[in-house]
Amino acid sequence: MGNDLLAFVVMVIVQLGFAGMIIITKLVMDGGMNPFVQSAYKPIFATISIAPFAFFLERKTRPKMTPSILFQIFLCSIFGITSNQYAYFIGLTNSTPTVASAIDNLIPAFTFLIAVPLGVEKLGLRSIAGQAKFWGTIICVGGAMLLSLYHGKVVIGQLGFHWKYAENTGKDVNSAHSNILLGPFLLIVSSLTAAIWLIIQGRVSERYAAPYTCITLMCLMASVESVIIGICVVPKFSEWALNPIRVISVLYNGVVCTSFAFYLSLWCIEKKGPLYVAMFNPLLLVISVFLSWTLLREKLYLGVVVGSIIVVVGLYGFLWGKKMETSTDEIEIEVTKEKNQSSISVDLELQLPNSNGYPLESKQISETKAKL
């Protein structure tokens, strides 16, 4: 009971951390910080903060690095950080925190769509689990299309109370709705690159059992990539200057939302499994909606509300199907083990003689089985 409660609290903290990242990042970019600059600073601080974990926790257990694994980590840095954060931050600049957190729920669906042709996942439409995953994916994508292309009337208007600093930025968060295609499109691209990263990262984890070293190398490579791209796009060094709120933003993104969140999520995956962690994704949407409405005075539109609900329903449908499939696979593995054990018992009883050439007695059989 204590472990269940602790895992629940940990995942709520993780989602609160991500929601805070969305709000403060949106705020500083509306205040004039270029998204390319934001993207360049994040992996730098992430590398600095997570490197000590890699050094102290994995220096004695770290496997040997090979060129093949290093190349795969390089691909992870491109898809999982560099291209992902560029698409996300530019998309967030042209959208709202609510839309960004809603589209984040597409990552499991996109991962499934990519994994099926690669043979990592099975479609299995003849089973209930396969149908749930398939239709859950379709519903997720449909909900994302709805909130991207249709806004409708205002369901909940602006709140009178708001963050004073948000007013000083001189930009209304709702003005992003004038560009209804670019923002959601780039956020969808961000979810797609995250799904590609998950596929590659899964293979890296199988071959290189040092997650902290892996994420450190990935962030280091992304730092170099992002700085080069950032300097080419934003050559004026004055735009790279960090005032107090920008320092808070880049430190928060690098330390809290990369190192700290990664450590807590990894702990939760080990204790409760990846499905348990994925089930908390919609909580990010709820927290982001509340914070954006109260602090940034975001309006909630009918299309965004309905589309977000559809995305969440599709996500849970997909996760339910995945859980059923996992349970079925576990049962099949147990049945196979029992059959193998029964086969070993029969073989021992019929074929293995004792030192006198006679069949083994039951006690000897048990001892032999224990040794096997």
Side-chain angles (χ1 to χ4, degrees):
M1 190 65 178
N3 287 335
D4 290 343
L5 179 60
L6 182 59
F8 176 83
V9 172
V10 164
M11 286 313 304
V12 171
I13 292 174
V14 169
Q15 299 305 328
L16 281 169
F18 283 133
M21 186 245 346
I22 294 174
I23 298 299
I24 195 170
T25 301
K26 175 66 175 174
L27 188 65
V28 297
M29 290 193 297
D30 283 353
M33 188 175 190
N34 192 293
F36 284 90
V37 176
Q38 177 76 250
S39 300
Y41 275 120
K42 179 181 177 180
I44 294 175
F45 286 101
T47 304
I48 296 172
S49 60
I50 205 169
F53 290 96
F55 179 76
F56 289 107
L57 297 180
E58 296 176 343
R59 58 179 175 176
K60 295 182 180 180
T61 60
R62 190 181 297 117
K64 182 181 179 181
M65 179 64 68
T66 65
S68 175
I69 295 174
L70 189 62
F71 177 71
Q72 291 182 25
I73 293 176
F74 170 69
L75 293 179
C76 285
S77 72
I78 293 177
F79 289 103
I81 299 182
T82 305
S83 59
N84 174 267
Q85 65 186 8
Y86 279 139
Y88 188 86
F89 287 146
I90 298 174
L92 181 60
T93 303
N94 292 277
S95 186
T96 67
T98 299
V99 174
S101 54
I103 292 179
D104 260 357
N105 290 289
L106 285 176
I107 295 175
F110 281 149
T111 305
F112 174 67
L113 290 176
I114 297 171
V116 169
L118 296 176
V120 179
E121 285 275 353
K122 54 185 178 181
L123 190 58
L125 288 178
R126 294 183 179 180
S127 65
I128 297 177
Q131 292 176 10
K133 291 195 301 180
F134 176 78
W135 288 113
T137 301
I138 297 299
I139 292 171
C140 271
V141 175
M145 293 299 102
L146 177 63
L147 68 87
S148 301
L149 301 176
Y150 173 73
H151 287 150
K153 62 180 182 180
V154 176
V155 177
I156 302 178
Q158 291 180 331
L159 188 66
F161 167 80
H162 62 285
W163 193 1
K164 189 67 177 177
Y165 184 86
E167 186 179 57
N168 294 336
T169 61
K171 185 175 181 181
D172 184 5
V173 67
N174 300 285
S175 65
H177 284 285
S178 60
N179 194 338
I180 64 174
L181 294 178
L182 179 61
F185 171 75
L186 289 175
L187 291 169
I188 290 173
V189 171
S190 173
S191 295
L192 183 60
T193 57
I196 296 172
W197 168 73
L198 284 172
I199 298 295
I200 303 173
Q201 183 63 45
R203 297 188 176 184
V204 172
S205 299
E206 292 177 357
R207 301 176 58 190
Y208 192 74
Y212 294 106
T213 302
C214 180
I215 198 72
T216 300
L217 290 173
M218 189 170 67
C219 290
L220 179 61
M221 292 177 181
S223 299
V224 177
E225 297 160 5
S226 300
V227 168
I228 293 174
I229 296 173
I231 291 176
C232 291
V233 177
V234 188
K236 293 183 179 179
F237 285 99
S238 59
E239 296 194 35
W240 290 75
L242 296 177
N243 57 27
I245 190 67
R246 292 186 180 185
V247 171
I248 293 173
S249 176
V250 295
L251 281 175
Y252 188 94
N253 288 347
V255 178
V256 176
C257 293
T258 303
S259 302
F260 187 63
F262 173 77
Y263 176 79
L264 293 180
S265 298
L266 185 65
W267 179 86
C268 242
I269 289 172
E270 292 176 353
K271 297 294 182 182
K272 305 291 290 184
L275 284 179
Y276 183 85
V277 174
M279 286 177 63
F280 282 84
N281 283 356
L283 181 60
L284 173 62
L285 172 60
V286 176
I287 298 172
S288 297
V289 168
F290 178 75
L291 292 179
S292 185
W293 178 59
T294 55
L295 298 178
L296 304 184
R297 302 182 70 188
E298 179 183 351
K299 298 176 182 178
L300 298 182
Y301 292 82
L302 178 62
V304 174
V305 172
V306 175
S308 299
I309 293 173
I310 292 174
V311 169
V312 172
V313 169
L315 172 66
Y316 278 123
F318 173 85
L319 294 176
W320 179 78
K322 184 64 179 175
K323 185 176 181 180
M324 281 188 61
E325 184 182 71
T326 303
S327 300
T328 302
D329 291 341
E330 290 176 352
I331 292 173
E332 290 178 353
I333 291 172
E334 288 297 324
V335 170
T336 302
K337 286 183 179 179
E338 290 178 1
K339 287 182 178 180
N340 291 337
Q341 289 176 356
S342 299
S343 175
I344 290 173
S345 298
V346 172
D347 289 342
L348 285 171
E349 293 172 2
L350 295 179
Q351 299 176 15
L352 293 179
N354 60 17
S355 59
N356 297 322
Y358 295 102
L360 290 171
E361 296 178 359
S362 58
K363 183 179 180 180
Q364 292 174 300
I365 292 172
S366 300
E367 294 175 352
T368 306
K369 286 168 62 179
K371 291 180 181 178
L372 292 174

